[in-house]
Amino acid sequence: MSQHILTAVAWPYANGPRHIGHVSGFGVPSDVFSRYQRMAGNKVLMVSGTDEHGTPIQVQADKEGVTARELADRYNRVIAEDLTGLGLSYDLFTRTTTNNHYAVTQEIFKGLYDNGYIFPKTTMGAISPSTGRTLPDRYIEGTCPICGYDGARGDQCDNCGNQLDPIQLINPKSRINGETPIFAETEHFMLDLPAFAEVLGTYLQSKQGEWRPNVLKFALNLLGDLQPRAISRDLDWGVPIPLDGWSEQANKRLYVWFDAVIGYLSASIEWARRSGDPDAWRQWWQNPDAKSYYFMGKDNIVFHAEIWPAMLLGYSGIGARGGKAGSLGALNVPSEVVSSEFLTMEGRKFSSSRQVVIYVRDFLARYDADALRYYIAVAGPENQDTDFTWQEFVNRNNGELVAAWGNLVNRSISMAAKNFGVIPEAGELTDADRALLERSRAAFGPVGAELNRSRFKNAITEALDVVRDANKYLAEQEPWKLKDDTERQKSILFTALQVVDDAKTMLTPFLPSSSNKVHAMLGGEGVWSGMPEIREVDEDGGTPYPVITGDYRDGARWEHRPIKPGTPLAPPVPLFKKLDPKVVDEELARLDTPAE
């Protein structure tokens, strides 16, 4: 039975281009999941966009001598182009500086405020002495007062997991310029997280056995120390506070984290309006049978496993203070928070300033998008921190994509095309033929089950095992030696081509571009797996901006499909490029080259 699946993808911050560490956490995993769910017959809505408010945008804009909006415009386009190049199949990838997003954010604020879950409070705010601007909590570092960890941030300590306030840090310093912040009284609005302690506890406990253990454990550990959390800032770049006496203030805006998580909802509403059915979003947000999956790196767990559910519950009138649903109606909380761990590079943390980085667009300029997607799926930080090395990338590209999968495709199709010109008709099958065909057909179940649970490494490993079994079968059967026994040769090649078609289907969520090539080589017609595109849109005739969208009503289905003997075959083209081992030294040299 078809189900509505919301894939909510973390919003990349628009203060610079994204590197491969970013997309290993939010980008590729969310797309693999969404493509599989579409193939399984579910109705997927995959949404996100660029996160464009907050002090870091303003700081970077000042450095470059442009306005915050000009900076956001530039990197919104850069990021959209990069994610499209990776083949990420967003139904809508938009931005947080739209009128629609402002309106939805202000509506959520008012609903929470009316229900008593938002209240004003005079606090001590961290101010940059050199600029007079508020410093965001995450841009202040110091020693944790609870566990003594030296790299705690002003919003939380990643070592002990406790929420913090910047003024609690010992020896706080600005990450922007190293200066010591000053603290001054200021009035801000707070989200009353303690009012959701009980309902959040019930919600999280219900996820035992469903969520990744690291995500659930982290979220449950935070429940015992929930504190009211500021949702506004002294800043002139962001969503205005929608209350009389506040909306007119030029230096009071909603905190960037508060408006960013609302982006999942606002993007869904924008998508619905652009689809021609303004209420279509409700099927993913209010249908009790709908499921929602949120994809991000582990540094965002607190926002998506606790704060965003609290906001949704409070807006819906659920919490210690009760209340009633706002004008949008009651809203679904996340079904699962699918968080990845961190990816390092050659044993070091990604750092743009230290050149320990490779940006997505630079990677795609030199290598196949599917090669990066494969690496992230099979060796990425799915459930533990992992290290990207150029040696492993080259080894996996050459040894697995080229020598295993590419080799199976090439020799099976080229031999059949050369000898028969079409998919040959099988004669009497041997036990070896039937065993491989059954092995391939049976793999759809376990591979699909792993994909459905976001266990991507297990899924792609099982699919590649089928490919290896097929290569072993061809090596044992040696059809190239059977020039005088064409009937047996036909049966062997038919068997191999059927497994190629099955493997193409199982690898489609991971390798959509190369799977499209295999579909065409096997004589397939029409679009197999839809790819994203950038379209220029606007709001009521305003300034156009790029969005990622696409038509994914394609031929890809998660099932074994019998190939048709007699289908014409074209000589194959290489699926993947074999990389020269010298690539490793070249890329390592780039890492050690000082930035200009």
Side-chain angles (χ1 to χ4, degrees):
M1 183 177 176
S2 180
Q3 191 170 38
H4 286 82
I5 303 286
L6 174 70
T7 306
V9 191
W11 291 60
Y13 204 55
N15 64 337
R18 300 298 88 185
H19 56 64
I20 64 169
H22 293 131
V23 297
S24 71
F26 74 83
V28 172
S30 63
D31 186 61
V32 171
F33 179 81
S34 295
R35 287 182 179 276
Y36 164 72
Q37 294 293 348
R38 292 190 189 104
M39 292 174 73
N42 291 318
K43 297 173 182 176
V44 173
L45 179 59
M46 177 173 166
V47 293
S48 185
T50 42
D51 180 3
E52 301 182 2
H53 293 126
T55 303
I57 295 283
Q58 189 67 65
V59 169
Q60 186 65 29
D62 290 346
K63 284 183 182 178
E64 300 188 19
V66 297
T67 66
R69 181 58 190 242
E70 287 170 337
L71 186 87
D73 285 346
R74 183 199 315 162
Y75 288 119
N76 162 254
R77 188 171 295 276
V78 166
I79 292 169
E81 290 172 352
D82 290 350
L83 301 185
T84 303
L86 262 178
L88 306 188
S89 57
Y90 291 99
D91 291 281
L92 184 69
F93 181 90
T94 179
R95 58 194 308 186
T96 57
T97 48
T98 65
N99 294 334
N100 169 74
H101 178 71
Y102 275 47
V104 176
T105 298
Q106 291 175 333
E107 167 58 26
I108 296 296
F109 175 95
K110 286 186 287 187
L112 287 164
Y113 182 82
D114 290 345
N115 284 338
Y117 295 111
I118 288 176
F119 61 90
K121 181 182 179 182
T122 299
T123 65
M124 300 298 289
I127 308 294
S128 165
S130 61
T131 67
R133 289 200 182 105
T134 299
L135 287 168
D137 294 350
R138 286 193 158 201
Y139 272 62
I140 304 171
E141 285 187 345
T143 302
C144 176
I146 299 170
C147 71
Y149 176 61
D150 194 37
R153 298 194 308 264
D155 59 345
Q156 70 184 50
C157 174
D158 287 338
N159 186 56
C160 65
N162 284 289
Q163 296 179 68
L164 298 173
D165 196 283
I167 201 169
Q168 295 176 276
L169 292 175
I170 301 167
N171 297 322
K173 299 287 184 184
S174 166
R175 288 176 55 199
I176 298 170
N177 55 18
E179 64 187 5
T180 300
I182 57 175
F183 291 91
E185 279 195 355
T186 182
E187 189 172 27
H188 283 300
F189 283 97
M190 313 292 287
L191 177 64
D192 188 6
L193 284 175
F196 300 101
E198 183 177 350
V199 68
L200 281 176
T202 301
Y203 162 68
L204 290 171
Q205 290 291 350
S206 73
K207 302 303 179 182
Q208 296 279 1
E210 296 180 20
W211 289 17
R212 291 178 178 176
N214 59 315
V215 179
L216 188 59
K217 181 180 178 181
F218 185 88
L220 287 170
N221 285 344
L222 295 176
L223 277 178
D225 189 38
L226 289 179
Q227 302 293 329
R229 190 150 185 157
I231 63 167
S232 60
R233 272 294 175 259
D234 294 309
L235 191 65
D236 59 2
W237 175 241
V239 180
I241 298 169
L243 293 177
D244 291 341
W246 289 83
S247 59
E248 301 82 7
Q249 295 189 46
N251 66 334
K252 292 286 186 183
R253 292 292 184 270
L254 292 175
Y255 207 166
V256 61
W257 71 257
F258 181 83
D259 90 83
V261 291
I262 296 171
Y264 304 114
L265 176 60
S266 68
S268 301
I269 291 172
E270 181 183 348
W271 166 83
R273 190 181 73 248
R274 296 193 182 284
S275 74
D277 180 2
D279 287 326
W281 64 273
R282 298 183 186 277
Q283 288 296 321
W284 284 270
W285 285 90
Q286 295 176 326
N287 181 343
D289 295 325
K291 299 287 186 181
S292 55
Y293 299 85
Y294 289 70
F295 287 82
M296 76 236 22
K298 67 179 178 181
D299 54 336
N300 275 319
I301 291 175
V302 65
F303 293 102
H304 296 83
E306 295 198 334
I307 296 175
W308 180 227
M311 292 165 61
L312 291 165
L313 290 165
Y315 182 83
S316 303
I318 301 170
R321 302 183 189 282
K324 63 179 182 179
S327 64
L328 294 174
L331 302 169
N332 293 343
V333 294
S335 302
E336 183 173 355
V337 174
V338 187
S339 169
S340 298
E341 301 293 296
F342 289 146
L343 185 74
T344 54
M345 189 169 191
E346 298 292 346
R348 293 177 280 177
K349 285 183 67 174
F350 277 92
S351 171
S352 301
S353 61
R354 297 185 181 92
Q355 286 295 98
V356 184
V357 70
I358 180 166
Y359 295 111
V360 171
R361 62 179 38 216
D362 294 334
F363 197 105
L364 296 182
R366 301 197 284 274
Y367 309 104
D368 289 336
D370 277 4
L372 176 58
R373 292 174 63 106
Y374 175 76
Y375 184 98
I376 290 171
V378 78
E382 182 176 307
N383 49 28
Q384 63 182 15
D385 291 350
T386 55
D387 189 42
F388 176 93
T389 69
W390 284 107
Q391 186 65 63
E392 184 178 8
F393 173 72
V394 170
N395 289 346
R396 287 190 179 276
N397 180 87
N398 292 351
E400 295 167 16
L401 289 180
V402 176
W405 176 223
N407 182 48
L408 176 65
V409 171
N410 185 275
R411 62 176 175 170
S412 300
I413 297 178
S414 61
M415 200 179 310
K418 179 181 177 181
N419 292 346
F420 308 109
V422 297
I423 294 176
E425 184 152 10
E428 185 175 347
L429 297 178
T430 67
D431 289 345
D433 302 338
R434 285 191 289 269
L436 180 63
L437 289 171
E438 178 55 30
R439 162 84 174 98
S440 179
R441 186 163 45 242
F444 280 92
V447 174
E450 296 291 351
L451 281 167
N452 195 50
R453 299 176 64 234
S454 299
R455 306 300 195 264
F456 306 119
K457 183 175 182 178
N458 290 348
I460 199 166
T461 299
E462 173 68 14
L464 258 291
D465 283 346
V466 173
V467 170
R468 293 186 181 96
D469 288 346
N471 276 319
K472 181 182 177 185
Y473 163 85
L474 281 178
E476 292 172 347
Q477 299 299 318
E478 300 180 317
W480 48 86
K481 292 185 177 180
L482 301 176
K483 295 179 182 178
D484 296 329
D485 189 353
T486 56
E487 290 307 305
R488 178 64 192 141
Q489 190 180 59
K490 285 181 180 180
S491 295
I492 295 169
L493 291 176
F494 171 87
T495 300
L497 291 176
Q498 179 65 70
V499 177
V500 166
D501 191 70
D502 287 346
K504 167 215 70 181
T505 300
M506 286 185 278
L507 290 170
T508 293
F510 304 100
L511 312 174
S513 180
S514 52
S515 293
N516 281 332
K517 293 178 184 177
V518 176
H519 174 70
M521 290 181 207
L522 288 170
E525 297 179 349
V527 176
W528 170 248
S529 187
M531 300 299 283
E533 62 182 79
I534 291 178
R535 295 180 192 166
E536 298 290 326
V537 300
D538 62 45
E539 289 184 310
D540 302 321
T543 303
Y545 59 95
V547 299
I548 305 175
T549 188
D551 185 352
Y552 309 114
R553 296 170 295 180
D554 47 40
R557 293 293 177 268
W558 192 259
E559 61 188 8
H560 161 84
R561 302 195 318 175
I563 56 175
K564 297 178 181 178
T567 302
L569 295 172
V573 294
L575 269 190
F576 295 97
K577 181 174 69 175
K578 186 174 183 180
L579 299 176
D580 191 311
K582 290 187 293 187
V583 161
V584 176
D585 292 333
E586 292 169 359
E587 293 294 352
L588 289 175
R590 284 190 177 98
L591 287 182
D592 293 329
T593 301
E596 295 181 1

